[in-house]
């Protein structure tokens, strides 16, 4: 799906626990340090991004990080596109829960450890909007909506943003296909990545009890609907690449494994499971 020319600014809308570390490793290979910016603290409105001088924001070629839809309004009158990755809500919520349990720097870590929360506890207590239709919430730019407040109107807004501003939205479980679509569209010369395990060990999805699984789905019904929509769209985009695309994906995966093996062997490179 090649484009005539890449946009002046690309925004990676990184939904938590959707292979963002691997995607970032690709982006850092294809953009110089002075061309990109990592947006932080999305629940506070990404203050570090808006603190940049206007001139600097207007020169960025890439904004990545956890961000709700809308940061494009602060990059000047330039062409832009977003891209993002989605994930099955049950998988994503489980990954987020175990990530917080093991990440001492997370704001909720101390509370999780002190109270010994189960995943069901976290949902019942509505501790964070990251557990409540976060994918629709972010694509709609509805970051300030209270827990439980995501509605069909937000889902429709997310779809409209997808169709107008997000030409490529991928699926975490089909990462390599998505990377090739991105590389074609944005003319990336080095679309290679490392796999990062940042969530720690966790039980298998199949081992999660039925009650908790149902609770996750109830809290993320709009996300499940969005995932179904994006899956259909993504499959059409992949099919449009023609019958040779699966073989191309296999060749790419083989090259990426060699790249990953080489980089991980370098003594000064941080190991992917650190």
């Amino acid at each position: 799906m090649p484009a005539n020319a890449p946009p002046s600014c690309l925004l990676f809308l990184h939904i938590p626990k959707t292979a963002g570390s691997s995607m970032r490793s690709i982006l850092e290979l294809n953009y110089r340090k002075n061309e990109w910016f990592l947006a932080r603290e999305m629940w506070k409105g990404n203050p570090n991004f808006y603190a940049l001088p206007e001139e600097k924001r207007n020169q960025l070629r890439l904004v990545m990080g956890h961000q709700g839809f809308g940061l494009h309004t602060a990059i000047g009158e330039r062409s832009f596109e977003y891209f993002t990755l989605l994930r099955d809500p049950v998988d994503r919520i489980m990954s987020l829960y175990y990530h917080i349990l093991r990440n001492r720097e997370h704001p909720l870590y101390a509370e999780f450890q002190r109270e010994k929360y189960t995943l069901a506890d976290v949902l019942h207590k509505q501790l964070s909007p990251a557990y409540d239709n976060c994918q629709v919430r972010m694509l709609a730019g509805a970051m300030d909506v209270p827990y439980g407040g995501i509605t069909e109107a937000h889902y429709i807004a997310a779809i409209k943003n997808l169709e107008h501003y997000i030409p490529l939205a991928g699926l975490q479980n089909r990462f390599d296909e998505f990377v090739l679509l991105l590389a074609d569209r944005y003319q990336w010369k080095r679309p290679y990545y490392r796999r990062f395990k940042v969530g720690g060990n966790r039980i298998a999805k199949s081992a999660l009890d039925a009650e908790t699984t149902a609770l996750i789905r109830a809290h993320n019904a709009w996300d499940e609907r969005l995932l179904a929509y994006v899956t259909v769209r993504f499959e059409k985009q992949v099919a449009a690449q023609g019958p040779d695309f699966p073989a191309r994906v296999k060749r790419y995966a083989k090259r990426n494994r060699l790249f990953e093996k080489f980089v991980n062997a370098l003594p000064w490179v941080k190991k992917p499971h650190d």
Side-chain angles (χ1 to χ4, degrees):
M1 175 183 306
N4 292 330
S8 295
C9 186
L10 184 62
L11 298 101
F12 171 35
L13 194 154
H14 174 199
I15 296 165
K17 311 314 298 176
T18 59
S21 295
S22 294
M23 183 60 70
R24 178 176 168 180
S25 70
I26 296 174
L27 296 171
E28 290 181 356
L29 277 177
N30 289 276
Y31 295 87
R32 293 190 295 270
K33 175 63 178 176
N34 65 346
E35 294 178 328
W36 62 262
F37 185 79
L38 182 64
R40 298 185 183 277
E41 296 190 283
M42 68 175 176
W43 302 116
K44 296 180 181 180
N46 299 114
N48 72 323
F49 173 74
Y50 287 102
L52 286 175
E54 181 179 2
E55 181 181 4
K56 173 63 175 177
R57 282 188 269 115
N58 292 349
Q59 292 174 349
L60 292 171
R61 292 186 59 213
L62 169 69
V63 180
M64 57 181 168
H66 298 311
Q67 55 178 296
F69 180 86
L71 294 195
H72 67 275
T73 60
I75 60 169
E77 297 297 325
R78 298 187 289 152
S79 61
F80 68 91
E81 290 179 359
Y82 287 82
F83 76 91
T84 192
L85 273 160
L86 275 72
R87 187 177 185 181
D88 173 76
V90 176
D91 282 329
R92 197 191 71 80
I93 294 299
M94 289 180 66
S95 181
L96 179 61
Y97 171 72
Y98 283 99
H99 170 69
I100 296 174
L101 279 179
R102 291 164 173 81
N103 182 3
R104 293 179 178 274
E105 296 181 359
H106 195 281
L108 290 174
Y109 171 81
E111 184 176 352
F112 271 45
Q113 295 296 323
R114 182 179 66 252
E115 301 297 335
K116 308 298 181 184
Y117 288 140
T118 66
L119 180 47
D121 290 336
V122 173
L123 294 164
H124 283 306
K125 291 178 178 294
Q126 303 185 357
L127 289 178
S128 168
Y131 290 89
D132 170 45
N133 290 297
C134 187
Q135 299 179 94
V136 166
R137 180 185 294 274
M138 292 179 68
L139 266 64
M143 308 306 292
D144 295 332
V145 173
Y147 197 111
I150 298 298
T151 67
E152 184 174 18
H154 298 110
Y155 168 77
I156 292 172
I159 296 298
K160 287 182 178 179
N161 287 338
L162 272 169
E163 295 306 328
H164 289 289
Y165 305 107
I166 311 176
L168 290 175
L171 308 172
Q172 177 171 319
N173 63 328
R174 298 176 68 174
F175 191 77
D176 286 355
E177 293 167 283
F178 185 51
V179 169
L180 288 183
L181 295 182
L182 290 167
D184 286 349
R185 186 174 186 89
Y186 300 120
Q187 302 175 16
W188 294 345
K189 303 300 183 183
R190 298 178 295 276
Y192 301 111
Y193 66 92
R194 301 166 67 210
R195 295 171 181 84
F196 290 85
K197 185 178 181 181
V198 296
N201 297 325
R202 44 168 271 194
I203 64 171
K205 179 180 175 181
S206 59
L208 189 66
D209 65 273
E211 181 180 352
T212 303
T213 300
L215 189 60
I216 293 173
R217 296 195 185 283
H219 284 238
N220 293 273
W222 291 113
D223 272 8
E224 292 208 314
R225 188 168 169 181
L226 179 67
L227 179 68
Y229 181 94
V230 169
T231 298
V232 171
R233 192 175 85 147
F234 182 75
E235 288 176 345
K236 290 178 179 178
Q237 291 173 332
V238 168
Q241 304 308 301
D244 296 333
F245 191 63
R248 184 183 169 204
V249 173
K250 288 183 179 179
R251 291 193 299 270
Y252 164 72
K254 182 177 180 180
R255 290 196 301 271
N256 192 75
R257 285 193 295 270
L258 293 173
F259 165 83
E260 190 173 25
K261 183 177 181 180
F262 170 76
V263 173
N264 288 341
L266 297 174
W268 60 84
V269 173
K270 183 179 179 180
K271 300 306 178 250
H273 301 306
D274 289 353

